[in-house]
Amino acid sequence: MDDQPAIAAAAGAGPFAALYVLDDETPGAFGIGAAQRWWLHHSLERLGSEMEKRGGTLILRRGKSVDIVSEVAAHVNAGTIHATRHYEPWWQASERALGNKLVLHPADTLIPLEEIKTSSGEPYRIYSPFYRKLSSFPVDPPSEATHRLKAPARLPPSDELTAWNLLPSKPDWASGFSVWRPGEEEARSKLKSWKEKVASYAHQRDLPSLQGTSELSPFLHFGEISPRRIWHALAPVPGSEKFLKELAWRDFARSAVLADPKIGVKSQRSIDIAWRSGSSADADFEAWTRGETGYPIVDAGMRQLWKIGWMHNRVRMIAASFLVKHLLIDWRRGERWFWDTLVDADYGNNSLNWQWIAGTGVDSQPFNRIMAPIGQSRKFDAGDYIRRWVPELAALADDLIHDPPSEVAGYPQKLVGHLEARERALSARQHG
Ligand code: FAD
């Protein structure tokens, strides 16, 4: 409800129908993933009850969004349709298809991206000039939540949320997701506690054992808190600059999507890599998804992802790099796995970061910079993080835990040695 100018505009104009459409058709392969379905269920449940408390009703419908929005608009005889502007290519196409009845509101970015263009009028593809330009605009203050809603007399029918079966049942793999409480009340409370810690972000953000990041990503993705709300709460706090600069990466990822809508499926730079495929690559991929690569930092990250639908950023980088460079598996397979398992899966952020790691992005590290997982684990002091997520290794001392001896019971052998993997990756690049 907070900083949702579309809701505020609709409520300001009189009675209105609030509609959420679950559209698995329009996004194609980017339909909402399994972990996010769990989040969506709880988020809609809370949003529906918030709206009811304020006198409104949330209508739930499933199907192709353009058709359903048009149908509901006709049913309630709506003169205008208010929505938040999105940047995913399939939503942009849907927005165009709805024609001039649709009024789009900026709420998903710090600055409306239409304003952040290069001198030739194109969306930015390189972060530094993007951020310089973004910083030259003031971030608009967030709008306040609307407290009184009114539904029209004749509402169209709504689906039952439970009939959507968004929660897993057999098996219930989401029991570990109880660390999260979707919805804007929790988002506000996370922001409040983050305000006390944000000054340490610059020193702690890369240390997964300390968990020194905000954990706001799924709340941001689902619109439960707005980037402008976060910006205005934290900008006055001394030492928050590094965090705000990272928050702007989210806007940058959307700019990168505008510049190249196919960023999620197509390498931006053709670097001719002979990716591995076939049964041995498939077996390695599966071991990676299960957190059984024999590299503790990678395994800890992948198990954290499976258990709670989220992974620390530094570890995402290490685990993604391991898949692409050590296992020489196409970044798109990793992107798909993250898409299905992350509660914060986001087209721009996920695609941009995978391409950055793979060295295929426009503004990315080169492919032949190969992260050493054990070195990274030591450098960022990941011992306690590993103990938490890889219980087989919990008893190991700090000097062993990053690279355990081969006889630790129950822990797998390395899928591939670091130096061997490095050589293989470099030659795949040269001769591919
Ligand atoms: P904080 O460090 O507290 O940052 C605050 C916010 O800033 C984040 O919530 C996020 O919205 C934004 N942000 C921070 N870093 C980045 C970044 N590198 N790129 C874009 N936005 C950023 N983030 C997603 O939100 N969704 C994804 O699907 C996603 N996939 C990723 C895949 C890979 C391979 C990698 C390396 C990173 C990915 N990220 C993704 C970026 C980053 O890991 C997460 O945004 C971050 O870990 C979320 O935790 P946080 O909210 O505690 O972040």
Side-chain angles (χ1 to χ4, degrees):
M1 302 301 299
D2 179 60
D3 197 21
Q4 291 287 359
I7 296 179
F16 78 102
L19 171 67
Y20 178 86
V21 186
L22 174 60
D23 184 349
D24 285 319
E25 204 175 312
T26 308
F30 289 92
I32 186 166
Q36 288 198 320
R37 283 173 191 266
W38 176 91
W39 192 286
L40 180 65
H41 176 94
H42 297 290
S43 191
L44 287 174
E45 198 167 54
R46 300 219 162 96
L47 179 62
S49 81
E50 269 311 307
M51 286 193 154
E52 269 172 30
K53 272 193 234 156
R54 294 160 200 239
T57 307
L58 179 63
I59 299 162
L60 303 177
R61 293 290 294 277
R62 186 169 202 168
K64 197 167 171 217
S65 44
V66 172
D67 297 346
I68 291 180
V69 171
S70 308
E71 180 205 315
V72 171
H75 189 105
V76 297
N77 203 14
T80 309
I81 304 162
H82 293 278
T84 303
R85 181 186 294 285
H86 282 82
Y87 296 94
E88 292 85 349
W90 54 91
W91 296 140
Q92 294 233 315
S94 301
E95 289 165 3
R96 282 192 296 276
L98 283 166
N100 55 13
K101 254 193 175 183
L102 181 69
V103 176
L104 291 170
H105 299 265
D108 182 49
T109 52
L110 292 164
I111 309 280
L113 291 187
E114 297 64 43
E115 298 187 25
I116 308 197
K117 296 275 172 70
T118 62
S119 51
S120 53
E122 299 298 321
Y124 280 93
R125 289 160 170 255
I126 310 280
Y127 180 70
S128 302
F130 171 86
Y131 186 67
R132 265 198 305 280
K133 182 81 173 217
L134 181 138
S135 311
S136 69
F137 290 94
V139 174
D140 281 343
S143 58
E144 292 306 319
T146 313
H147 290 291
R148 287 176 67 87
L149 309 177
K150 194 161 187 272
R154 216 172 58 88
L155 272 178
S158 171
D159 293 351
E160 282 293 328
L161 180 58
T162 46
W164 285 0
N165 291 324
L166 296 172
L167 300 176
S169 52
K170 288 177 196 150
D172 176 11
W173 42 259
S175 58
F177 284 31
S178 57
V179 296
W180 300 105
R181 192 166 178 274
E184 66 184 307
E185 195 184 326
E186 174 74 355
R188 266 197 305 273
S189 129
K190 279 229 180 253
L191 175 61
K192 196 164 162 226
S193 50
W194 181 241
K195 214 168 161 177
E196 310 297 314
K197 299 186 198 149
V198 66
S200 318
Y201 182 76
H203 318 292
Q204 298 193 349
R205 61 187 288 266
D206 277 322
L207 306 176
S209 297
L210 297 183
Q211 190 20 52
T213 69
S214 70
E215 297 173 357
L216 283 166
S217 51
F219 301 93
L220 272 162
H221 176 83
F222 280 88
E224 294 169 352
I225 195 159
S226 79
R228 300 188 294 209
R229 172 67 64 203
I230 297 175
W231 184 280
H232 278 274
L234 301 176
V237 180
S240 63
E241 299 78 12
K242 178 68 188 160
F243 177 78
L244 296 176
K245 204 169 172 188
E246 285 303 308
L247 184 62
W249 268 91
R250 192 175 164 278
D251 281 28
F252 174 60
R254 279 146 178 70
S255 173
V257 170
L258 283 182
D260 178 6
K262 289 202 158 76
I263 188 170
V265 287
K266 193 165 173 283
S267 292
Q268 298 186 293
R269 267 195 290 169
S270 159
I271 54 170
D272 274 344
I273 308 229
W275 301 115
R276 288 171 62 229
S277 58
S279 56
S280 123
D282 289 349
D284 285 357
F285 179 74
E286 231 189 285
W288 177 78
T289 61
R290 287 196 309 264
E292 292 176 2
T293 67
Y295 284 83
I297 183 70
V298 175
D299 294 341
M302 296 306 293
R303 295 187 200 188
Q304 179 182 33
L305 175 60
W306 181 254
K307 275 268 161 59
I308 67 165
W310 186 90
M311 197 197 301
H312 185 277
N313 177 61
R314 169 57 53 181
V315 191
R316 288 187 204 201
M317 291 165 70
I318 299 169
S321 171
F322 185 85
L323 181 79
V324 172
K325 298 185 181 167
H326 284 69
L327 299 183
L328 212 58
I329 290 176
D330 193 323
W331 64 269
R332 281 163 283 224
R333 288 189 79 177
E335 183 280 335
R336 293 284 78 202
W337 183 255
F338 273 29
W339 184 260
D340 204 37
T341 54
L342 277 171
V343 286
D344 65 20
D346 181 276
Y347 184 67
N349 289 3
N350 202 30
S351 315
L352 179 89
N353 280 285
W354 272 100
Q355 294 231 30
W356 190 86
I357 291 289
T360 56
V362 171
D363 183 14
S364 68
Q365 60 167 359
F367 180 84
N368 53 13
R369 247 194 71 199
I370 294 177
M371 268 186 184
I374 295 167
Q376 289 274 311
S377 183
R378 289 203 175 102
K379 179 172 172 193
F380 296 112
D381 210 2
D384 284 344
Y385 176 79
I386 294 169
R387 284 186 189 96
R388 173 155 186 217
W389 296 108
V390 189
E392 309 93 282
L393 303 178
L396 292 185
D398 278 349
D399 56 337
L400 294 177
I401 196 155
H402 309 284
D403 188 9
S406 52
E407 62 276 7
V408 175
Y411 189 66
Q413 301 292 310
K414 290 186 179 71
L415 289 179
V416 61
H418 173 61
L419 291 178
E420 182 194 335
R422 201 184 131 76
E423 284 302 305
R424 181 171 68 177
L426 293 176
S427 64
R429 169 85 175 92
Q430 283 157 13
H431 309 305

